[in-house]
């Protein structure tokens, strides 16, 4: 299993960014996927979940209405469209795989993360 | 939201000695299927988190048997029977019972 995130960078407050996670080594379309973030020097915060078929999405209160999770099962890729970015969105963003189709009782694999910095 | 509280914040350990980390949840993580929906992760310095224990006591693939998870309901423990230098890092518990999925604040394990 490999999960490779990309798309991070420096963005101004209020700006947008689109993160990607390229998956390989497993049947991507059969598992729910998640984004988890970690602010500098801080702990882990779950951000969002999407079911295997992409029909259901769930968000943390801190990002609901600003972030959109999606997936392209034909390209084995997970996305996170981030808008209305704020300083407290600064973090390393990890793509994390669920062992199941619709829920995530645990994360069995994690990517290496992509860094997002929000600053003027 | 379910709040996960870990202790201690920092744990100095001696190689070869046992170590124990506690995690308490604000509500029961015991599902009607009999499993406790608590997991443990280790984030080694400079690395992504890795799964150690899921469903309270099941070791993930490749995890050494010196790691064990126990507990039920709202009180859980991760034990390392004999600490090795490679076990240093930050340990997190997480509840997988309901969204939002929530983590404990982390316990930093360091060598004395």
């Amino acid at each position: 299993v490999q999960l490779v995130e990309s798309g991070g960078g420096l963005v101004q407050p209020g700006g947008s960014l689109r993160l990607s996670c390229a998956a390989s080594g497993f049947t991507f379309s059969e598992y729910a996927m998640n984004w988890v973030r970690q602010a500098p020097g801080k702990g882990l915060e779950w951000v969002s979940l999407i079911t295997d078929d992409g029909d259901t999405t769930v968000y943390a209160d801190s990002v609901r209405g600003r972030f959109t999770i999606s997936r392209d099962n034909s390209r084995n890729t997970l996305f996170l469209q981030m808008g209305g970015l704020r300083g407290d969105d600064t973090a390393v963003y990890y793509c994390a795989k669920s062992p199941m189709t619709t829920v995530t009782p645990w994360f069995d694999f994690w990517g290496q993360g992509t860094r997002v910095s929000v600053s003027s | 939201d379910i709040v996960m509280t870990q202790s201690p914040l920092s744990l100095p350990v001696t190689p070869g000695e046992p170590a124990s980390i506690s995690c308490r949840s604000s509500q029961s993580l015991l599902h009607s299927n009999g499993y406790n929906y608590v997991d443990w992760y280790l984030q080694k310095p400079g690395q992504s988190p890795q799964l150690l224990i899921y469903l309270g006591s099941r070791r993930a693939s490749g995890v050494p048997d010196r790691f064990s998870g126990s507990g039920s309901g709202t009180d859980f423990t991760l034990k390392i029977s004999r600490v090795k230098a490679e076990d240093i890092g930050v340990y997190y518990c997480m509840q997988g019972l309901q969204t939002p999925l929530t983590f404990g604040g982390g316990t930093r394990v360091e060598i004395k």
Side-chain angles (χ1 to χ4, degrees):
Chain A
V1 171
Q2 258 204 317
L3 299 170
V4 180
E5 301 93 335
S6 60
L10 176 63
V11 60
Q12 292 189 336
S16 299
L17 211 54
R18 188 197 200 201
L19 306 184
S20 299
C21 171
S24 61
F26 66 102
T27 306
F28 181 71
S29 61
E30 292 183 355
Y31 297 96
M33 295 294 295
N34 298 259
W35 289 98
V36 178
R37 69 184 180 183
Q38 186 171 35
K42 302 296 184 183
L44 300 168
E45 179 189 14
W46 171 80
V47 172
S48 183
L49 170 155
I50 186 167
T51 54
D52 59 336
D53 56 9
D55 281 356
T56 300
T57 58
V58 187
Y59 298 93
D61 286 348
S62 57
V63 307
R64 188 176 296 114
R66 300 186 300 120
F67 291 10
T68 301
I69 190 171
S70 63
R71 63 192 297 161
D72 184 339
N73 285 346
S74 68
R75 292 165 53 194
N76 293 341
T77 304
L78 176 72
F79 302 101
L80 185 67
Q81 180 68 48
M82 310 165 69
L85 284 163
R86 312 184 302 222
D88 59 0
D89 294 318
T90 294
V92 174
Y93 284 74
Y94 296 102
C95 166
K97 176 185 169 293
S98 169
M100 298 184 178
T101 57
T102 60
V103 295
T104 300
W106 63 90
F107 304 110
D108 53 0
F109 292 97
W110 298 66
Q112 87 289 348
T114 186
R115 189 174 302 273
V116 173
S117 295
V118 183
S119 174
S120 54
Chain B
D1 298 1
I2 298 176
V3 177
M4 303 293 283
T5 304
Q6 279 183 244
S7 62
L9 208 58
S10 176
L11 183 61
V13 297
T14 301
E17 294 295 306
S20 179
I21 300 170
S22 173
C23 179
R24 180 166 291 177
S25 57
S26 60
Q27 59 191 79
S28 178
L29 301 182
L30 180 61
H31 193 276
S32 56
N33 62 15
Y35 291 109
N36 285 281
Y37 279 59
V38 66
D39 319 309
W40 292 92
Y41 300 88
L42 166 60
Q43 187 172 30
K44 295 183 178 182
Q47 295 186 18
S48 308
Q50 60 187 86
L51 178 66
L52 294 176
I53 302 287
Y54 63 99
L55 294 178
S57 61
R58 296 187 166 193
R59 266 191 304 276
S61 176
V63 173
D65 61 7
R66 64 179 180 275
F67 291 93
S68 64
S70 63
S72 186
T74 61
D75 288 287
F76 303 94
T77 302
L78 176 72
K79 292 181 179 175
I80 311 173
S81 59
R82 290 174 301 278
V83 173
K84 291 191 172 184
E86 67 206 48
D87 299 335
I88 62 163
V90 182
Y91 290 76
Y92 295 94
C93 60
M94 187 197 89
Q95 65 82 15
L97 186 65
Q98 63 185 227
T99 55
L101 306 175
T102 48
F103 293 88
T107 295
R108 184 174 300 276
V109 172
E110 53 196 17
I111 300 295
K112 276 184 184 175

